[in-house]
Amino acid sequence: NQLEYLLGDAYKQNGFYPKLVWNSKPPIKVESLTSYYNKALKNRKEIKLKQKEAEQYIESQTYYKNNYLPEVSMTGQASRASQVNSNNIGVNLSWSLFDGASNYYESQKANANKLKALQEKESYVQQIKYEVQKAYHELIQYKKIGRASCRERV
């Protein structure tokens, strides 16, 4: 053993063993794989961006769906003269019956873009989970190798 060669048998006297310099680092603390998944998914910007993009497409889809509905507006006017009181109230209803189906197509386009953004987000989630899992197993392997090399040195 290399330590015996360097120090001779004198280091074993009275059961005293010196502390090894290369073993002075604190042990690596490894958390569960799910905690690393959660941290990665919470902090990755790609996931947040795709979620916001999907929310924008949901809003635009709602906008185009609401264009199917009629528009109602009310107006009112009141005037008072010394001898005549007059009040005017008006209601206006407008409904676009034929717009060339552009609202329908725009709504369908927004829905398709929303689904695409959600699919890309899920793809990012799977890619991040794979990267975390790979790094986790490398960390476990490194920890095992580190323990084995420390045992060999002693």
Side-chain angles (χ1 to χ4, degrees):
N1 185 312
Q2 189 177 10
L3 187 61
E4 290 177 340
Y5 176 75
L6 291 174
L7 298 178
D9 288 335
Y11 82 99
K12 293 183 181 179
Q13 293 175 0
N14 300 328
F16 173 76
Y17 293 94
K19 289 190 176 187
L20 302 176
V21 175
W22 55 81
N23 202 16
S24 64
K25 294 180 183 176
I28 299 171
K29 182 182 177 190
V30 178
E31 297 176 20
S32 69
L33 183 58
T34 16
S35 69
Y36 289 124
Y37 281 155
N38 294 336
K39 286 179 185 177
L41 294 176
K42 178 182 165 189
N43 295 324
R44 291 292 287 261
K45 292 181 181 177
E46 300 94 353
I47 302 293
K48 293 177 183 178
L49 288 174
K50 284 298 171 184
Q51 183 62 37
K52 286 186 180 185
E53 184 178 342
E55 289 170 2
Q56 288 175 345
Y57 286 126
I58 289 171
E59 286 179 20
S60 65
Q61 184 181 17
T62 304
Y63 170 78
Y64 288 116
K65 281 186 177 181
N66 288 340
N67 278 343
Y68 292 134
L69 302 174
E71 293 180 27
V72 178
S73 60
M74 289 185 76
T75 58
Q77 178 181 359
S79 62
R80 191 174 209 183
S82 62
Q83 296 188 357
V84 178
N85 288 338
S86 69
N87 296 323
N88 290 331
I89 296 176
V91 176
N92 185 19
L93 176 68
S94 65
W95 195 348
S96 178
L97 297 176
F98 184 75
D99 62 353
S102 68
N103 281 333
Y104 174 76
Y105 290 118
E106 290 295 328
S107 174
Q108 292 300 314
K109 181 180 172 185
N111 186 36
N113 287 334
K114 174 193 74 168
L115 293 175
K116 179 183 173 190
L118 290 174
Q119 187 178 23
E120 288 174 354
K121 177 188 166 199
E122 185 59 32
S123 174
Y124 281 131
V125 166
Q126 293 304 319
Q127 180 182 357
I128 289 168
K129 281 187 173 183
Y130 170 74
E131 291 171 0
V132 167
Q133 188 174 15
K134 182 179 173 187
Y136 180 79
H137 289 298
E138 287 175 0
L139 177 64
I140 296 294
Q141 193 67 21
Y142 172 76
K143 191 172 179 181
K144 287 179 183 178
I145 290 172
R147 285 183 190 163
S149 66
C150 283
R151 288 183 193 146
E152 290 174 4
R153 291 179 186 157
V154 175

